[in-house]
Amino acid sequence: MSLLKLTDVGMLYGGRVPALEHINLTVEKGDWLAVMGPSGSGKTTLMNIIGCMDKHTSGEVILDGINLNEVSKNELTQIRRDKIGMVFQQFHLIPYLTAVENLMVAQYYHSIPDKKEAMEALARVGLEDRAGHLPSELSGGEQQMLAMGRALMSNASMLMLDEPSMGLSPLLVQEIFDIIQNVHKEGMTILLVEQNAQMALSVADRAYVLETGRVVMEGTGAELLTNERVRSAYLGG
């Protein structure tokens, strides 16, 4: 059984304005899926639906055997907590807690806070030596890594990342993607929403390109890297 399956999914804002139309995609356990597209293409809306933050208005979404059409908003919150590790563009770190304390707070929603486990998660993202620092004392890249470590604390079925390269230097982007690749090698399913097409396609098993709320191209990362339309629109020729 697939980990995630979207069938003819659509989303209307205000009951009239289409944000997504006829989205069909499948994610198997252990996959690395990239979703690309320009600003306003529907990437964030799609992420919010898969991440159980918004309910779609048409079609069907099955996540880890659960039909999201049939659950309440309160149940969506529990599913998101248990099934998905989220890394947002805004990191949503608690400013007055240290790095390790931010991870221990995340533990609280799933189990009993355990500093040893939190330190192990910090080590996975290369931040064990920054455990006692506040978010304001961390660089943008380090805050991104901390948010990733927090997402990994839930032992979720899937890790979702929203534009993890945004605003970071190429060196930091490579560090972030190295961490994601290591997590993927451990068996984690990855769903990456990303505008850095070169980076996304270089690592993804499969990729979907959205434009104006529709999937206009899909294929393996390698296939889309050599696609003339993708190269022209997203890779500078």
Side-chain angles (χ1 to χ4, degrees), residues 63-164:
L63 174 61
D64 206 10
I66 301 171
N67 189 331
L68 300 188
N69 298 49
E70 300 172 352
V71 301
S72 67
K73 287 188 176 181
N74 286 340
E75 289 171 322
L76 279 179
T77 299
Q78 183 174 348
I79 293 167
R80 179 173 68 247
R81 183 193 69 192
D82 295 339
K83 302 290 185 182
I84 300 173
M86 302 283 294
V87 182
F88 301 94
Q89 289 181 34
Q90 296 78 29
F91 307 130
H92 301 300
L93 301 170
I94 301 174
Y96 53 84
L97 296 182
T98 65
V100 70
E101 289 168 344
N102 265 278
L103 265 61
M104 291 173 71
V105 167
Q107 280 181 307
Y108 173 79
Y109 294 102
H110 301 275
S111 57
I112 299 172
D114 184 306
K115 187 172 183 179
K116 182 173 181 276
E117 287 185 5
M119 289 297 299
E120 289 171 354
L122 285 179
R124 290 179 76 185
V125 296
L127 289 180
E128 63 267 43
D129 61 341
R130 309 291 278 170
H133 290 258
L134 297 173
S136 61
E137 298 169 330
L138 303 176
S139 69
E142 288 171 334
Q143 291 182 42
Q144 177 74 276
M145 293 174 189
L146 180 57
M148 199 179 311
R150 180 184 58 194
L152 294 173
M153 293 297 295
S154 64
N155 294 314
S157 303
M158 179 166 59
L159 179 64
M160 293 181 60
L161 303 107
D162 187 10
E163 306 278 8

Side-chain angles (χ1 to χ4, degrees), residues 9 32-33 41 43 53 56 60-61 86 104 137 153 157 190 194-195 201 219 224 235:
V9 168
W32 183 323
L33 181 74
S41 62
K43 300 189 307 296
M53 291 178 286
H56 51 293
E60 183 179 75
V61 180
M86 302 283 294
M104 291 173 71
E137 298 169 330
M153 293 297 295
S157 303
I190 306 292
E194 181 58 75
Q195 285 194 1
L201 295 177
L224 293 189
L235 298 170

